[in-house]
Amino acid sequence: MKFKPSRRDGLPRIGCISQIDNYPDVNFTTPNCLLYTKFGAVPFLTNDIVKQIYGLPNLTFASLNFLRERFKVFRKFGKGLAQYSGLGIPVILFQNDPTEAAVTRAVDKTSIQVWAVGGRLPVTMEQYADCVVNALPVAFQMPVDNETSFPDSTAPTKKRCQKSVQRTRSYASMLEEIVASNEKLQKIPPLISVAGGNDLDQRLRGITSVDFSRASGIVLDGFFHESLEGDRSSHLETVFSILSSVCSRFPPHLPRFLTNLWQPDEVVRACLCGVDLFDGSLPFRLTRSGIAWLYTAYRKDMVSSAWICFPLQAEDLKAEVYRQPMQPDCPCFACQRHNQGYVSHLHSVKEMLAHILLMIHNSTQCYAFFADLRQAIADGRVDEFAEMSKAHHFPEDLLHIDLTIKTIQNGDV
């Protein structure tokens, strides 16, 4: 897997990932998001529907959670996650699912922890290697102590950030010993994990000890920005400051991945810092919360709000909502065939079709957003685009609601 930035004269970067093993025809332009999958599939959608979505990314995000819990199934299947999903789209394997919040801190010196349907699962480096080999990804994230991102009232201490760097380095050493004796694993390029929490010194310390020669990319993990006391903005400023500093020290030929940052305006800021790729979980986060994204780029006059929350309130159920789609100019199946009133009704009666239609729409909007971001960078209008994206910052309290289960729960599940 090769990454070639098309501009080296500054930030943000535009680039292209190509020469992917077994997928010679795949070219993936950046900045972009991956096709987010959960339990081996795109949430709520069948493969036939997925392939009809406009602007569909041709690189897939998958996490170790699902693989570790169903390891015996994958080992018996033997054809990798891309074939298991039925999509046939190349997969990049990451350690954690950004929408699955850890319940408690649980890492130790010899294993990382993942949270699956059955609860906490410890993963030794041998098990980590086995999962990677059976997933057959085009690249995989090296194990990392990323519990510095654990939601808390305060940011992790300097000592905790230092320990995350030490453990991440230790995990890498143990895994490299396994790689040396495993021919299959040697053929799968790693993504180097950079830990250190919100401590710039520890981040830089972690970088200096890394050998980037065999890496196919870099994953920036373990940032703290989900404070339990609601002071998110100050932590985000720290995150963006660190991103600017560390990205300037990375080899330019390696793409930079950032997970667990998904607000549109924050994505643009991260790109301005030098980040290239994101996890693509925003359509799922919006859909499970009953939110339709009304992304209109520069066409601000077309909608009065950047989103619609379903089901609609009784006072909003007027005659016109049964005649107009969620977004008039959207080319997706949901907007071309159905109206707001119908989608609201589906949410009211808890029909699964409600989430299917929303996922189609939100995915279309998300991929259009990244296409416009790339065009804005190419045209030299990224500052204007960044200002526009501020109108698309979704309320945190809305995105912490899950309407896809019988009981509404607060927090990411």
Side-chain angles (χ1 to χ4, degrees):
M1 187 172 78
K2 302 293 183 182
F3 175 74
K4 183 179 180 181
S6 60
R7 53 176 286 176
R8 297 175 179 269
D9 56 343
L11 299 174
R13 310 198 311 169
I14 296 179
C16 181
I17 294 176
S18 59
Q19 300 181 37
I20 301 174
D21 290 345
N22 301 318
Y23 299 91
D25 297 330
V26 171
N27 292 288
F28 190 73
T29 53
T30 65
N32 211 334
C33 69
L34 303 176
L35 176 62
Y36 174 77
T37 62
K38 198 175 184 69
F39 307 124
V42 177
F44 309 121
L45 304 181
T46 64
N47 290 348
D48 289 340
I49 294 176
V50 169
K51 293 176 181 178
Q52 296 178 27
I53 294 176
Y54 290 86
L56 187 73
N58 51 6
L59 273 179
T60 302
F61 175 99
S63 64
L64 196 71
N65 311 49
F66 174 64
L67 286 167
R68 174 66 182 89
E69 192 169 38
R70 294 161 178 81
F71 173 72
K72 292 182 179 179
V73 174
F74 277 95
R75 183 170 58 185
K76 186 174 182 179
F77 180 69
K79 298 180 182 179
L81 190 53
Q83 295 302 316
Y84 180 87
S85 69
L87 288 170
I89 300 176
V91 173
I92 298 180
L93 184 64
F94 291 82
Q95 178 174 307
N96 297 103
D97 185 329
T99 68
E100 296 282 352
V103 178
T104 184
R105 297 179 178 88
V107 298
D108 57 40
K109 295 180 180 179
T110 59
S111 66
I112 55 100
Q113 312 292 319
V114 296
W115 295 86
V117 175
R120 179 172 65 89
L121 291 174
V123 183
T124 65
M125 295 305 103
E126 290 79 9
Q127 292 170 330
Y128 199 106
D130 287 341
C131 286
V132 172
V133 169
N134 283 280
L136 295 177
V138 296
F140 73 96
Q141 179 185 1
M142 292 288 282
V144 58
D145 175 4
N146 56 10
E147 289 189 355
T148 47
S149 63
F150 190 85
D152 207 338
S153 55
T154 59
T157 63
K158 187 177 187 68
K159 183 177 181 180
R160 181 64 186 88
C161 293
Q162 181 180 10
K163 188 171 291 186
S164 74
V165 174
Q166 293 172 346
R167 284 177 175 164
T168 299
R169 185 186 302 167
S170 176
Y171 296 154
S173 298
M174 287 187 282
L175 192 63
E176 285 167 1
E177 291 180 5
I178 298 172
V179 171
S181 59
N182 190 317
E183 293 184 2
K184 291 183 179 179
L185 198 56
Q186 291 172 7
K187 297 177 181 178
I188 306 174
L191 304 175
I192 299 298
S193 296
V194 177
N198 288 16
D199 190 305
L200 177 58
D201 292 337
Q202 296 305 319
R203 290 273 176 181
L204 296 177
R205 176 170 163 263
I207 293 173
T208 56
S209 62
V210 171
D211 178 12
F212 291 103
S213 60
R214 186 175 172 265
S216 61
I218 299 165
V219 181
L220 293 146
D221 210 336
F223 283 110
F224 176 85
H225 52 76
E226 296 292 341
S227 174
L228 296 179
E229 296 183 352
D231 185 22
R232 189 168 184 268
S233 58
S234 62
H235 297 299
L236 276 174
E237 291 303 319
T238 302
V239 169
F240 291 127
S241 175
I242 293 173
L243 283 175
S244 296
S245 297
V246 297
C247 285
S248 65
R249 290 166 170 80
F250 291 143
H253 67 282
L254 295 179
R256 298 88 181 254
F257 295 79
L258 180 63
T259 64
N260 209 25
L261 198 73
W262 36 266
Q263 290 277 13
D265 58 320
E266 295 167 7
V267 164
V268 178
R269 287 194 64 182
C271 287
L272 290 169
C273 296
V275 176
D276 302 302
L277 289 151
F278 302 84
D279 57 52
S281 63
L282 180 56
F284 170 68
R285 293 177 186 270
L286 294 173
T287 299
R288 72 176 184 181
S289 302
I291 299 174
W293 186 6
L294 306 184
Y295 170 67
T296 58
Y298 301 103
R299 305 180 297 280
K300 297 180 181 179
D301 57 319
M302 297 199 67
V303 294
S304 58
S305 175
W307 60 82
I308 300 175
C309 294
F310 291 106
L312 298 174
Q313 299 297 314
E315 58 269 20
D316 296 325
L317 289 173
K318 301 175 182 178
E320 55 264 26
V321 302
Y322 293 95
R323 294 193 294 266
Q324 61 189 24
M326 288 181 284
Q327 186 168 335
D329 64 333
C330 179
C332 79
F333 174 86
C335 290
Q336 293 296 314
R337 301 293 183 90
H338 302 291
N339 56 62
Q340 290 184 30
Y342 178 62
V343 176
S344 178
H345 165 73
L346 293 174
H347 277 85
S348 296
V349 297
K350 297 180 173 56
E351 277 282 354
M352 185 171 66
L353 182 57
H355 308 301
I356 294 174
L357 294 178
L358 266 194
M359 189 67 179
I360 294 172
H361 173 77
N362 287 327
S363 296
T364 301
Q365 300 306 301
C366 181
Y367 307 147
F369 171 82
F370 277 96
D372 285 350
L373 172 57
R374 292 191 296 274
Q375 190 62 51
I377 295 172
D379 295 343
R381 297 182 289 106
V382 69
D383 291 336
E384 180 186 352
F385 190 87
E387 186 64 28
M388 178 278 301
S389 68
K390 293 178 181 178
H392 296 272
H393 187 98
F394 300 97
E396 303 294 331
D397 57 337
L398 292 180
L399 286 171
H400 284 174
I401 297 175
D402 189 347
L403 299 180
T404 63
I405 53 178
K406 292 182 179 180
T407 303
I408 294 179
Q409 297 180 348
N410 289 324
D412 283 337
V413 296

